[in-house]
Amino acid sequence: MAAPGEEQDAMARYRSPLVSRYASAEMAYNFSERKKFGTWRRLWLYLAQAEKSLGLPITDEQIREMEANLDNIDFKMAAEEEKKLRHDVMAHVHTFAHCCPKAAAIIHLGATSCYVGDNTDLIVLRDGFNLLLPKLARVISRLADFAEKYADMPALGFTHYQPAQLTTVGKRCCLWIQDLCMDLQNLERARDDLRFRGVKGTTGTQASFLQLFEGDHSKVEELDRLVTAKAGFKRAYMVTGQTYSRKVDIGVLAVLASLGASIHKICTDIRLLANLKEIEEPFEKDQIGSSAMPYKRNPMRSERCCSLARHLMTLVMDPLQTAAVQWFERTLDDSANRRVCLAEAFLTADIILSTLQNVSEGLVVYPKVIERRIRQELPFMATENIIMAMVKAGGNRQDCHEKIRVLSQQAAAVVKQEGGDNDFIARVRADPYFSPIHKQLESLLDPSSFTGRAPQQVAKFLKEEVRPALIPYQSQMGGKIELAL
């Protein structure tokens, strides 16, 4: 049995952790009931203003009454009306009309439910992108600073997660940045491609508005244009059914899913580097890594990003299936699904971007560990350089190759079978055969000579591609972010 008053206790009801635990206040508000229903009222106001300007008998007093009550929403009354009417839009029409008695007759004039529903969704999607883009730009900016700082620091590269040729810490970071720059472009394009549903009527034919304006097609077209402009859109979809095409939602969630894939890859790399003890995410002074193992420094932020990114990547399946099963001008089996997947996609993207910003602002590099790992692998990578130096000193390539083959296998046995350090160079120094190049060994093993053009690539990439892409967001870069949990 529930305790008295427990029904009103927030702790006695499920709350999505996307909102209660993780998401920013601004993104949570973007998908809130207040934003949604406040936007509905503004859309009714835009419609009335445009209809009045085109000659319908709507008074200034009615417009002023609507303007004065845009945020005066009686949510309790709306809930009671919806329970009675089983229709959310009509419930809010009645609730708005209750506080606007003079305007009651012209609220929602000629419109269908999707006039407020779909147009509000498009506004919310646009505003959601506008919240995400500066956050993504901030992550790119922080990582760009990191890449620039460590552009020259050699590090062991990995292919197949096996030791490969050297790269630099900054160059590896640029691989992350490049993916995120693609996401920045994709999100900008998806936002800019959004159009307004506009004023289209019940099946998209604008028949009700054509009747209101007594067959004047030009006025119906102007009404559509005026309302679209008032809502802040440059264009409306020229044809719709009752709804805008649900393929639009596919495009929106596809770019967010792609962002999720990028962040999952980045944070997986960070988790692997943490295991190697080369790079770690920030770890607070009083943070606990494990309840049982006090020494642990778990990469919990990166793990959170990976966990949530997987959820984000799967959400694109919802609009794909919804678009596939929309019958003719629309069916209502899209509604409940879209209430969940659209909000969750933006909330999840918001969370992982904030978390990755926190990670990127506090990445810790351990140069000595990186140097030690290079020392373990570089001797084998330097064998070709040693052969070439011996040939220049008058040696025979085949003889040298055989000598190195034997010594390198002996050194590999020490590493793999005995757990010792790579002593290949020591064996080369001890072999009289290699005496002609003993003085060259140090220069032949200089890690910076194995990183190719990595430092130059970092500098060129940051200067020519990354920094210019961030210019539109310079005023929104802000300071460091602290995570609540």
Side-chain angles (χ1 to χ4, degrees):
M1 294 289 291
E6 191 174 11
E7 292 80 6
Q8 285 75 43
D9 185 351
M11 293 298 128
R13 301 177 63 185
Y14 173 77
R15 296 182 300 161
S16 169
L18 293 176
V19 175
S20 66
R21 188 175 179 89
Y22 299 128
S24 66
E26 60 267 26
M27 189 61 79
Y29 173 75
N30 190 50
F31 287 92
S32 69
E33 299 287 271
R34 184 165 294 281
K35 167 77 176 276
K36 174 181 177 179
F37 297 128
T39 303
W40 284 13
R41 291 193 174 188
R42 283 163 176 79
L43 287 168
W44 283 320
L45 173 64
Y46 300 156
L47 181 62
Q49 289 173 329
E51 288 173 337
K52 177 180 183 298
S53 70
L54 292 169
L56 292 188
I58 297 172
T59 67
D60 289 338
E61 188 177 23
Q62 288 173 315
I63 296 296
R64 287 194 298 269
E65 189 179 52
M66 293 174 72
E67 290 173 335
N69 287 282
L70 292 176
D71 297 308
N72 178 28
I73 303 175
D74 187 338
F75 288 98
K76 183 178 179 181
M77 178 182 178
E80 292 171 350
E81 288 288 328
E82 184 173 355
K83 187 175 181 180
K84 180 174 63 177
L85 301 172
R86 307 297 296 176
H87 197 288
D88 56 349
V89 173
M90 287 310 299
H92 277 271
V93 169
H94 288 187
T95 303
F96 196 18
H98 180 75
C99 59
C100 298
K102 296 174 182 176
I106 54 93
I107 293 173
H108 199 67
L109 182 59
T112 187
S113 299
C114 286
Y115 166 69
V116 288
D118 270 32
N119 282 324
T120 292
D121 286 345
L122 290 161
I123 290 170
V124 167
L125 295 178
R126 178 197 64 193
D127 293 351
F129 278 127
N130 285 335
L131 290 172
L132 291 180
L133 281 163
K135 294 188 177 190
L136 176 53
R138 284 197 290 270
V139 171
I140 294 171
S141 175
R142 293 346 183 228
L143 289 175
D145 293 341
F146 179 86
E148 189 171 50
K149 181 177 180 180
Y150 294 100
D152 301 329
M153 180 180 285
L156 186 64
F158 290 93
T159 58
H160 313 276
Y161 201 36
Q162 299 298 316
Q165 288 188 347
L166 300 191
T167 183
T168 70
V169 173
K171 169 64 189 299
R172 175 177 283 145
C173 183
C174 284
L175 298 179
W176 305 340
I177 295 170
Q178 181 167 250
D179 286 353
L180 294 176
C181 284
M182 293 180 190
D183 293 315
L184 188 74
Q185 293 175 341
N186 289 341
L187 263 65
E188 289 174 337
R189 183 172 61 250
R191 178 200 59 189
D192 296 343
D193 283 349
L194 286 175
R195 300 189 192 185
F196 203 52
R197 177 190 176 272
V199 182
K200 297 296 194 296
T202 55
T203 58
T205 64
Q206 298 177 304
S208 58
F209 297 103
L210 192 62
Q211 184 177 2
L212 279 174
F213 289 103
E214 299 178 344
D216 191 329
H217 290 267
S218 63
K219 285 192 174 181
V220 176
E221 289 187 5
E222 181 64 5
L223 177 70
D224 205 0
R225 189 195 68 78
L226 285 173
V227 175
T228 297
K230 286 176 181 291
F233 285 81
K234 295 179 180 178
R235 297 179 299 171
Y237 295 107
M238 293 186 69
V239 294
T240 72
Q242 190 171 87
T243 68
Y244 67 79
S245 171
R246 294 312 184 215
K247 283 187 71 68
V248 173
D249 295 342
I250 297 174
V252 169
L253 265 64
V255 298
L256 297 181
S258 183
L259 171 65
S262 299
I263 293 179
H264 198 294
K265 185 264 194 284
I266 292 167
C267 290
T268 299
D269 283 357
I270 292 172
R271 292 164 66 189
L272 293 170
L273 290 167
N275 174 262
L276 296 174
K277 297 180 174 60
E278 292 190 7
I279 294 178
E280 287 181 345
E281 66 178 39
F283 196 90
E284 269 80 29
K285 176 177 176 290
D286 297 322
Q287 183 175 332
I288 295 174
S290 167
S291 61
M293 295 168 280
Y295 58 86
K296 293 195 76 178
R297 293 169 66 94
N298 298 332
M300 52 83 67
R301 293 170 175 81
S302 298
E303 290 172 320
R304 177 187 298 173
C305 284
C306 289
S307 181
L308 291 170
R310 286 200 299 274
H311 177 59
L312 179 55
M313 287 186 282
T314 63
L315 287 172
V316 72
M317 290 305 300
D318 276 341
L320 280 168
Q321 295 183 66
T322 295
V325 300
Q326 285 300 285
W327 302 345
F328 303 112
E329 280 64 50
R330 79 88 53 103
T331 65
L332 195 59
D333 64 347
D334 63 337
S335 179
N337 185 284
R338 295 176 69 254
R339 288 176 191 268
V340 177
C341 70
L342 296 180
E344 287 202 355
F346 279 86
L347 289 165
T348 305
D350 179 70
I351 295 158
I352 59 178
L353 283 173
S354 296
T355 307
L356 185 56
Q357 180 186 336
N358 177 262
V359 169
S360 63
E361 289 172 346
L363 285 172
V364 181
V365 178
Y366 295 104
K368 296 299 182 184
V369 178
I370 295 173
E371 290 171 11
R372 184 177 185 277
R373 185 155 283 109
I374 290 174
R375 287 198 304 271
Q376 288 291 311
E377 302 294 340
L378 190 59
F380 294 146
M381 298 178 192
T383 54
E384 185 64 23
N385 289 6
I386 293 172
I387 292 173
M388 296 305 295
M390 281 294 296
V391 170
K392 289 180 181 179
N396 178 281
R397 186 193 183 282
Q398 280 64 40
D399 293 341
C400 184
H401 184 279
E402 178 60 19
K403 284 277 189 181
I404 287 179
R405 185 187 69 82
V406 172
L407 295 181
S408 62
Q409 289 189 3
Q410 292 171 349
V414 170
V415 173
K416 294 179 180 180
Q417 297 174 21
E418 301 176 17
D421 291 336
N422 188 331
D423 63 359
F424 172 72
I425 297 302
R427 292 176 185 275
V428 172
R429 290 186 189 280
D431 192 325
Y433 175 81
F434 294 99
S435 58
I437 64 166
H438 280 169
K439 292 182 180 180
Q440 299 178 47
L441 286 176
E442 187 172 344
S443 62
L444 291 173
L445 291 166
D446 179 7
S448 63
S449 67
F450 290 82
T451 59
R453 298 192 64 254
Q456 291 75 22
Q457 288 178 346
V458 171
K460 185 178 179 66
F461 174 59
L462 295 180
K463 179 182 179 182
E464 297 186 10
E465 293 196 23
V466 180
R467 304 296 186 191
L470 299 179
I471 290 174
Y473 306 98
Q474 287 299 324
S475 64
Q476 298 170 285
M477 284 302 167
K480 287 189 174 183
I481 191 169
E482 298 295 334
L483 297 183
L485 290 172

